[in-house]
Amino acid sequence: MNRESRLIIRLNKAFLIYAFVIALPFSWASFAIGSIYRAVTLLLFVLFLFESRLIINYSSEKRFLLFGWLLYLGYAVITMLWAVNQDAAITNSLSLVLLGFIVIIFFSTDLQEEESYKTDLCWIVSGIICIFLYIFGDKTAVGEYGSRTSMIIMGTATDPNEFASVFIVPLSLMTFNLLNKKGPRILQIIIMLLSLYCVLMSGSRGALIAVAVAMIITLLQSGKVDVKSVLIIIAFAIIVLLLSTRYIIPLIPDDVLTRMSLKALLTDGGSGRGDLWTDAVRKIWNGSVLRMIFGYGQYGLTVGTKGVSQTMHNQLIQQLSNYGIVGLVLYLILIYKSYKSIKLNCPRYMGAFIGMMVMSLTITMSVAYKLVWILLLMPAVMSNKGKEIRFDDGK
């Protein structure tokens, strides 16, 4: 195969990465055979197999990160053998297999610098799509705060916390762009303000905190800590605050702003999350030792004293419940390896990564919640100088 044909394959793989990112807003939408993102995944994987001719290449520098992914996904799949809720476990395992297809594509792709920044743009485009979906799409009221709204995407209702968290990565990347004078400033500021409006209207306190953390981390990583950098950071923060106060806050209904207050948070206990977390830990600790070690499987443990739920609204507790101590350790290893890889290969994503980890403490990010998993795969596609390892039919 000549150099030109290899270039065509590489560019096709880059377009696959772009498609995975841009399609994220539709990961909640469903049709006859399941979620739209599932159909997109299968289509892109078939295209990948066709273009790569069943040859899988990955950089030797990625092997430890890839090993972390394989350990976690492999163990998570086999937990269906002892899961309490077999139906949910089988469905979860199928989703894990689809995620495995995505992992293969990402680890087989090495983006050049220009392509990696186009991927950044795709994240911003996904945020813009969500803004349009929110402003012009169908919405429904959520909970006791009548003005708090959740999106309905192609007939499927979304969790307002999950929908709001879509903006963590775009806001972080646009903050990076503004600090580094990349892209149109005015346009990006407008997109950022509209994104903040959507986050506030969702009434998601976790997403608002996560967005703030992501942007602050990005600001702190903007350059050397000198007087000039500090002044730029302060000036940027003041501009965002003033613009938000002038144009965004007045658009938010009073009851949603009330929900965002510390008093409301203390009153409702984080929408009952404290009760769920406490009861989950108590039941896991007092339950079977084998279940504590190996888990109950997907939706295998019901918790709550004020209202029952099989969703823990905390990623770490959910991992412990689903996959036990073994699964939680493998998940933490994957998170640590992803952190190290992001720090090395794409540090501009560090703010988004930290923000997403903060968000994961308030919601369950199941395998169906593709946003976090695609973000964790970003260092797998970023350019590096590692030696490639090739798997094919030996010919």
Side-chain angles (χ1 to χ4, degrees):
M1 185 180 294
N2 58 36
R3 184 173 181 176
E4 182 179 358
S5 62
R6 287 201 301 269
L7 179 62
I8 294 175
I9 291 177
R10 180 179 62 78
L11 289 176
N12 282 331
K13 288 182 180 179
F15 285 122
L16 296 180
I17 304 302
Y18 304 157
F20 275 118
V21 175
I22 292 176
L24 283 172
F26 302 99
S27 58
W28 292 281
S30 300
F31 65 121
I33 64 172
S35 72
I36 288 180
Y37 205 87
R38 180 181 301 172
V40 170
T41 299
L42 291 173
L43 174 61
L44 295 180
F45 188 66
V46 170
L47 291 175
F48 163 77
L49 292 177
F50 177 77
E51 292 294 339
S52 64
R53 299 183 182 180
L54 302 181
I55 298 174
I56 300 175
N57 299 304
Y58 73 94
S59 168
S60 60
E61 290 187 355
K62 299 178 184 178
R63 63 182 182 276
F64 293 113
L65 180 59
L66 177 59
F67 187 59
W69 274 98
L70 294 178
L71 276 179
Y72 174 75
L73 292 177
Y75 175 77
V77 168
I78 66 172
T79 58
M80 71 175 178
L81 298 177
W82 57 82
V84 174
N85 188 336
Q86 280 291 315
D87 291 338
I90 292 173
T91 301
N92 184 59
S93 293
L94 292 176
S95 297
L96 287 165
V97 171
L98 287 176
L99 179 56
F101 292 164
I102 299 175
V103 169
I104 291 173
I105 294 174
F106 272 69
F107 275 90
S108 300
T109 304
D110 284 315
L111 300 180
Q112 300 303 310
E113 184 176 3
E114 181 180 354
E115 294 169 341
S116 69
Y117 285 110
K118 287 181 180 179
T119 303
D120 297 354
L121 179 61
C122 289
W123 279 102
I124 297 174
V125 169
S126 71
I128 295 174
I129 292 173
C130 285
I131 291 172
F132 274 91
L133 287 173
Y134 186 84
I135 294 177
F136 301 106
D138 295 327
K139 294 179 283 292
T140 182
V142 178
E144 63 183 288
Y145 302 92
S147 299
R148 186 190 183 196
T149 52
S150 174
M151 276 302 307
I152 298 178
I153 301 177
M154 299 182 67
T156 304
T158 67
D159 181 284
N161 299 295
E162 292 183 0
F163 181 79
S165 64
V166 170
F167 297 101
I168 295 173
V169 182
L171 281 169
S172 175
L173 291 175
M174 283 186 285
T175 301
F176 173 85
N177 288 344
L178 289 176
L179 292 170
N180 291 275
K181 301 180 180 179
K182 293 180 179 292
R185 289 188 176 184
I186 301 300
L187 178 60
Q188 291 188 95
I189 290 174
I190 293 174
I191 296 171
M192 293 176 73
L193 291 174
L194 290 173
S195 299
L196 290 172
Y197 168 74
C198 293
V199 172
L200 288 170
M201 280 299 296
S202 74
S204 175
R205 293 170 293 206
L208 184 62
I209 294 172
V211 162
V213 169
M215 295 176 69
I216 290 171
I217 295 296
T218 304
L219 285 168
L220 294 177
Q221 284 196 319
S222 61
K224 297 181 180 179
V225 182
D226 51 25
V227 175
K228 181 179 179 181
S229 298
V230 172
L231 291 176
I232 291 175
I233 291 173
I234 293 175
F236 180 79
I238 292 175
I239 291 173
V240 172
L241 179 61
L242 291 176
L243 290 175
S244 298
T245 303
R246 175 65 178 85
Y247 296 105
I248 300 300
I249 299 301
L251 299 176
I252 309 302
D254 291 338
D255 57 344
V256 176
L257 291 176
T258 299
R259 187 179 191 276
M260 294 294 189
S261 67
L262 178 61
K263 180 180 179 181
L265 178 62
L266 295 175
T267 300
D268 63 20
S271 300
R273 283 172 170 77
D275 173 65
L276 295 177
W277 299 342
T278 302
D279 193 49
V281 173
R282 180 183 62 81
K283 286 185 175 179
I284 293 172
W285 179 258
N286 294 328
S288 164
V289 174
L290 289 178
R291 289 294 182 186
M292 184 189 301
I293 296 174
F294 299 110
Y296 292 80
Q298 182 78 352
Y299 300 138
L301 181 64
T302 301
V303 300
T305 61
K306 300 177 181 178
V308 296
S309 174
Q310 294 172 323
T311 302
M312 306 303 161
H313 293 282
N314 180 292
Q315 183 72 346
L316 298 180
I317 297 177
Q318 192 75 57
Q319 294 295 312
L320 179 62
S321 169
N322 287 1
Y323 310 131
I325 294 175
V326 174
L328 176 60
V329 170
L330 292 177
Y331 174 75
L332 291 174
I333 290 174
L334 175 60
I335 294 300
Y336 175 73
K337 288 183 178 297
S338 298
Y339 163 77
K340 296 288 288 185
S341 297
I342 288 174
K343 185 178 180 180
L344 177 65
N345 294 333
C346 47
R348 64 186 179 280
Y349 279 88
M350 185 57 69
F353 171 80
I354 299 298
M356 196 63 69
M357 292 302 100
V358 171
M359 187 68 195
S360 73
L361 300 179
T362 66
I363 64 173
T364 290
M365 295 181 171
S366 68
V367 67
Y369 181 78
K370 293 298 188 295
L371 182 66
V372 66
W373 307 107
I374 297 297
L375 175 59
L376 293 180
L377 283 168
M378 281 297 101
V381 297
M382 296 304 168
S383 299
N384 58 71
K385 298 180 180 179
K387 181 180 179 181
E388 282 196 334
I389 297 176
R390 175 178 172 128
F391 289 95
D392 52 25
D393 57 4
K395 296 181 181 179

